[in-house]
Amino acid sequence: MNIRHEPRVPRSAARPCSSCEMTLTAPVAALEDVPALLGCSQRADRTTDQFVSFNVYACPHCGLVQTDAGFDVETYEIVHSHAVGGVWEEHRRQLADFTREQLGMRLDRLERVLEIGPSVNPVAREIGFTRASVQYVDAMPKAPFDLGSREEYVCGVFPAAALKRPCDLVLASHIAEHAESLAAFVHGVAAHLKDGGLAILSIPDFQEWLERRYWNAITSEHLNYPLSEQVDELCERLGLTAQHHRFRGHSLFMALRHRAGQKPLVHQRVDTRALVIGWVQDINATVARMEAALSRSTQSVVVTGASHLAQYLTMMSPQVGQRAQFVVDNATSKHGQRLYGTDLRVRAFEALSALPEPLVIVPPSPYQQEMAEQVRGLNQHAVVVA
Ligand SMILES: [Zn+2]
């Protein structure tokens, strides 16, 4: 696996931007042979694991970062059914609060609601409608939950699916970043709104993720990486207004409405090309630093974080991959599982206490310091490489 800014992955000629539809020029980076899934697999061996290579573009016209990885229904299903746990529960509650606040009216006045991509956890249910009919559209063949009397499920990919309209409210939580065309997606959302209707979207907070150099900032799972200013610009072109709310550096909530004659905003332009290049350089420098630490030691090697963290590190560096004995993670659901794309097994952090002087690699993430302290607490002879 490689992450580089001199792309070698073949690209399709004359690719249009997913937002402004102008022609994209040369890619700014490429991810080669990365695991199609971030995290663990329940399958014992890795013969069916999939790897993908794709280019990363920063549109020279509107700045949108995007990839040519393509949409894969199977991966999308697995990724979305994984979106459970503490942060996601809080995300759902906060998004429901944001929606109620933006609606600013009694919920029983709403007649029709559309939720795009509810997966196993519809936001519409968290909001709690008493009268409105709710239509769900998602890629799975049937709804992964039991439907109530006012609920209906349509299998399809938005905006191609035939759905009832016009709606008072359209919801889409962590869906727009998977769309083949961001412009077609947002245009489709607008086309389903009645006059005075509201659309609520949530996407990853890509500005935060890229600036903080999170290793999962760019993955095969996401095709579009809009920052708030690019959402504003796209909305302006489509006759919409957008209000934003940032949720804990995790997500960007957006309230979209048809525009009633306001002046377009003046945007600041983030240099997204430089942002992607900085991200690529930081990952490669970190991997090199960790390899150097490894070459100075002959001890057992353990990597923390049974996710993209251990995947990227062990797959980008054969040296780390060959010497790693196992991966530790705090999620009990991952214990005993195999790290997707590798032969490494996942164990509890407590497994570290039995090793004499382990070299424990803690890749950069928002949890790096916490995990390093946890390692030292379990084994005072452990050498932490962070
Ligand atoms: Zn563009």
Side-chain angles (χ1 to χ4, degrees):
M1 174 187 158
N2 289 301
I3 298 179
R4 57 172 86 238
H5 48 80
E6 284 154 3
R8 289 194 309 198
V9 180
R11 63 194 181 99
S12 47
R15 189 181 168 80
C17 169
S18 170
S19 178
C20 72
E21 292 170 354
M22 302 282 274
T23 303
L24 294 173
T25 48
V28 58
L31 278 74
E32 298 168 359
D33 303 317
V34 297
L37 269 184
L38 300 182
C40 295
S41 173
Q42 282 169 345
R43 295 212 170 128
D45 69 276
R46 62 183 167 124
T47 48
T48 56
D49 288 358
Q50 289 176 38
F51 301 87
V52 288
S53 298
F54 58 89
N55 293 297
V56 185
Y57 300 82
C59 175
H61 310 284
C62 74
L64 180 72
V65 174
Q66 55 206 285
T67 77
D68 56 12
F71 178 73
D72 179 65
V73 171
E74 211 173 307
T75 311
Y76 164 84
E77 275 184 34
I78 300 169
V79 167
H80 269 236
S81 59
H82 281 176
V84 290
V87 177
W88 283 108
E89 279 164 28
E90 178 66 13
H91 171 272
R92 218 161 70 96
R93 277 197 296 275
Q94 297 266 341
L95 187 61
D97 286 347
F98 178 72
T99 307
R100 288 189 208 100
E101 199 181 291
Q102 289 289 331
L103 276 168
M105 62 154 110
R106 283 170 42 193
L107 292 180
D108 61 9
R109 296 220 179 137
L110 271 66
E111 288 171 359
R112 183 173 292 147
V113 175
L114 169 65
E115 180 163 357
I116 305 163
S119 185
V120 294
N121 272 320
V123 178
R125 286 194 177 174
E126 182 77 31
I127 298 167
F129 299 102
T130 51
R131 195 168 78 87
S133 65
V134 182
Q135 202 172 33
Y136 300 109
V137 56
D138 213 338
M140 297 121 181
K142 63 190 263 301
F145 47 84
D146 293 329
L147 293 168
S149 60
R150 293 184 315 275
E151 294 177 315
E152 190 191 344
Y153 182 86
V154 176
C155 168
V157 175
F158 189 83
L163 300 164
K164 289 175 188 158
R165 61 170 93 175
C167 304
D168 299 279
L169 173 67
V170 176
L171 299 162
S173 174
H174 284 250
I175 303 300
E177 65 273 23
H178 300 275
E180 291 273 12
S181 162
L182 184 64
F185 184 89
V186 177
H187 183 264
V189 166
H192 281 78
L193 285 183
K194 66 166 68 159
D195 283 345
L198 171 72
I200 298 287
L201 269 52
S202 173
I203 58 169
D205 189 340
F206 288 117
Q207 185 153 3
E208 183 91 1
W209 291 24
L210 282 164
E211 282 175 355
R212 288 184 170 268
R213 313 289 192 228
Y214 289 171
W215 281 19
N216 63 335
I218 298 175
T219 67
S220 61
E221 293 160 7
H222 298 148
L223 307 184
N224 306 296
Y225 300 78
L227 313 188
S228 58
E229 62 184 39
Q230 287 147 2
V231 173
D232 288 342
E233 203 174 304
L234 176 60
C235 284
E236 263 173 43
R237 275 205 306 279
L238 298 174
L240 299 165
T241 58
Q243 280 179 281
H244 310 285
H245 171 76
R246 293 179 94 165
F247 165 67
R248 291 175 51 178
H250 174 280
S251 293
L252 182 68
F253 295 171
M254 291 168 277
L256 273 47
R257 293 177 173 84
H258 289 292
R259 188 171 65 221
Q262 289 107 318
K263 266 190 180 169
L265 304 162
V266 178
H267 303 301
Q268 276 207 310
R269 189 54 66 92
V270 173
D271 184 348
T272 50
R273 187 184 161 79
L275 205 54
V276 173
I277 291 172
W279 179 80
V280 171
Q281 285 170 337
D282 190 77
I283 288 187
N284 283 289
T286 304
V287 172
R289 185 162 54 76
M290 289 175 165
E291 281 180 336
L294 219 71
S295 64
R296 291 192 293 269
S297 157
T298 54
Q299 298 300 318
S300 310
V301 174
V302 177
V303 184
T304 66
S307 62
H308 61 285
L309 296 173
Q311 282 174 303
Y312 281 14
L313 179 64
T314 59
M315 293 171 66
M316 285 177 76
S317 167
Q319 197 188 334
V320 180
Q322 279 154 21
R323 283 196 48 195
Q325 295 195 334
F326 56 88
V327 175
V328 289
D329 198 283
N330 281 317
T332 50
S333 63
K334 292 181 176 177
H335 297 163
Q337 294 204 355
R338 183 177 57 82
L339 190 68
Y340 190 94
T342 75
D343 289 321
L344 292 164
R345 290 279 160 180
V346 185
R347 300 175 68 175
F349 267 71
E350 284 66 29
L352 294 171
S353 52
L355 300 174
E357 279 177 33
L359 189 75
V360 185
I361 306 186
V362 188
S365 82
Y367 321 103
Q368 189 180 41
Q369 201 182 338
E370 191 184 322
M371 288 201 280
E373 281 165 18
Q374 200 180 350
V375 172
R376 291 190 189 101
L378 285 161
N379 188 331
Q380 57 176 340
H381 303 294
V383 178
V384 175
V385 179

